[in-house]
Amino acid sequence: MKPLSATTAPLSSPLARGRDANEVVAPSSADPSPLTPCDVWTYQEALAARGLVRQGHGPRVYGHTGLVDRLPPPGTPGPELMERLRGSQEALLAELARAMGPFPDGGDVLDAGSVLGGNALYWAQEHRARVTTMVTVPTHLEHVRRFVHEAGMCSRVQPRLCSGEPPRSRECYDAVIAVEHTCAQPRAEWLRGVHARLKPGGLLAVADCFWVRPNAVHPSEDAWRKQLGSVTAFLADAREAGLELEAHDDVSARAVGFWTLSSELLIHEHMACASGEAKNLRAALNAVRAESRREHLWLQQGLLDGGLEYALLVLRREA
């Protein structure tokens, strides 16, 4: 793992169209067996629980990866690390808005998968969007409504519980924005549903992790990891659904630092729960190292060596 004082590499490539030729060609992204509703709920409940512990004061609570250009020095206090982590998550949303080009300020946006509504509030507050945010776990709905009320955004953000129903007759959006949401869906079917919800000329903006080499995904029973697909397969399914690629931005190098920040913050969180005895402090540090090896190092390594890609994708429905 990089020392906390290290800096991450600059953005590896400018906004680009298409895909590097060295990506392993995969079968359709519809091939993996889809996650069950229980899998999705378990994953999102874990994200929400950590988000509420770290950012529970709200109202913007995030559960996704961030972009980091420079890491803080060793010994940075936990509260400052938390603010940097949160700032990195907003940096990812700002970069996604940049990749979309002129963001449809004041437009109608469908926010998919922001767990506790932080992303929806970002689009409403920073871009004056009217946002429908889809909430997967019923118990999260009250949290989202509370955060929306506290932000004074009730007129701009409408939380809605996912029901699996087809689009409503007049449900059309200028943009559908999915941050780390596509892995939880049967992608081909989901992309067809996105097409149906977009106005002609509307945009789908995606931020997610994909594999370039399938063996870069750490072996695990974790359902989310099993669902990581390739960009090539995702874009093939998107074309089949009538969505054409406009922008493809690889931000892997900037995402690596987020996991370094997250690992360092875990140390502070474990230490806060440990007693002052040296034995317990060692146990806390060992627990952090074990969790980092399990959850963070494979991601960092894959993003650094090109086995994984954290991509921003912008696709447009034909006019």
Side-chain angles (χ1 to χ4, degrees):
M1 185 183 298
K2 288 183 179 180
L4 197 60
S5 58
T7 58
T8 59
L11 184 62
S12 58
S13 63
L15 201 61
R17 299 177 187 274
R19 179 68 186 114
D20 294 340
N22 65 348
E23 183 182 88
V24 177
V25 176
S28 167
S29 60
D31 285 349
S33 57
L35 299 180
T36 67
C38 183
D39 290 329
V40 177
W41 282 27
T42 299
Y43 172 61
Q44 294 211 348
E45 283 179 332
L47 286 178
R50 176 155 287 178
L52 288 170
V53 167
R54 291 179 169 178
Q55 305 174 23
H57 57 283
R60 293 188 197 172
V61 177
Y62 302 114
H64 57 80
T65 302
L67 301 182
V68 177
D69 294 307
R70 181 173 294 276
L71 291 162
T76 299
E80 183 178 339
L81 288 174
M82 185 59 256
E83 285 305 310
R84 285 177 178 259
L85 199 78
R86 186 176 181 278
S88 76
Q89 292 169 308
E90 294 201 337
L92 181 134
L93 299 180
E95 195 70 12
L96 187 57
R98 183 200 63 78
M100 293 170 71
F103 189 91
D105 277 15
D108 294 307
V109 169
L110 179 65
D111 167 53
S114 70
V115 185
L116 290 172
N119 298 6
L121 286 172
Y122 178 89
W123 304 120
Q125 292 178 314
E126 302 299 327
H127 294 280
R128 300 183 297 106
R130 295 181 298 274
V131 187
T132 299
T133 183
M134 305 305 294
V135 180
T136 302
V137 182
T139 54
H140 294 169
L141 198 57
E142 285 307 312
H143 287 297
V144 177
R145 286 173 176 158
R146 175 168 61 87
F147 290 140
V148 169
H149 176 75
E150 289 174 359
M153 287 285 117
C154 295
S155 64
R156 288 197 171 272
V157 178
Q158 177 190 359
R160 186 191 300 172
L161 192 63
C162 289
S163 63
E165 297 176 356
R168 299 174 183 180
S169 58
R170 295 191 178 182
E171 184 179 15
C172 282
Y173 298 96
D174 296 294
V176 174
I177 302 176
V179 176
E180 296 180 8
H181 181 69
T182 64
C183 290
Q185 309 297 327
R187 291 190 183 97
E189 179 183 348
W190 181 78
L191 285 162
R192 288 192 294 270
V194 168
H195 182 277
R197 287 171 166 84
L198 282 173
K199 296 175 182 177
L203 294 175
L204 166 63
V206 170
D208 221 326
C209 190
F210 300 88
W211 57 255
V212 178
R213 299 189 305 272
N215 62 0
V217 182
H218 187 68
S220 171
E221 291 306 307
D222 183 291
W224 176 79
R225 297 183 196 182
K226 290 181 178 180
Q227 298 299 312
L228 290 183
S230 72
V231 174
T232 298
F234 182 86
L235 294 179
D237 286 338
R239 284 191 296 272
E240 286 291 322
L243 300 167
E244 290 299 322
L245 179 67
E246 289 217 336
H248 176 181
D249 204 347
D250 182 347
V251 294
S252 303
R254 299 175 67 193
V256 171
F258 174 83
W259 298 105
T260 307
L261 276 179
S262 184
S263 295
E264 188 69 11
L265 189 59
L266 277 174
I267 294 175
H268 285 267
E269 291 169 345
H270 279 275
M271 295 288 279
C273 297
S275 70
E277 297 179 16
K279 179 174 66 176
N280 290 329
L281 294 179
R282 285 197 298 272
L285 289 172
N286 287 336
V288 169
R289 292 189 184 104
E291 184 170 350
S292 291
R293 283 194 297 270
R294 184 175 65 251
E295 302 296 339
H296 298 163
L297 291 183
W298 72 276
L299 270 169
Q300 289 178 305
Q301 185 60 43
L303 293 169
L304 283 169
D305 67 16
L308 299 172
E309 178 185 350
Y310 199 95
L312 308 182
L313 304 174
V314 178
L315 303 102
R316 188 179 296 275
R317 175 180 169 169
E318 67 277 10

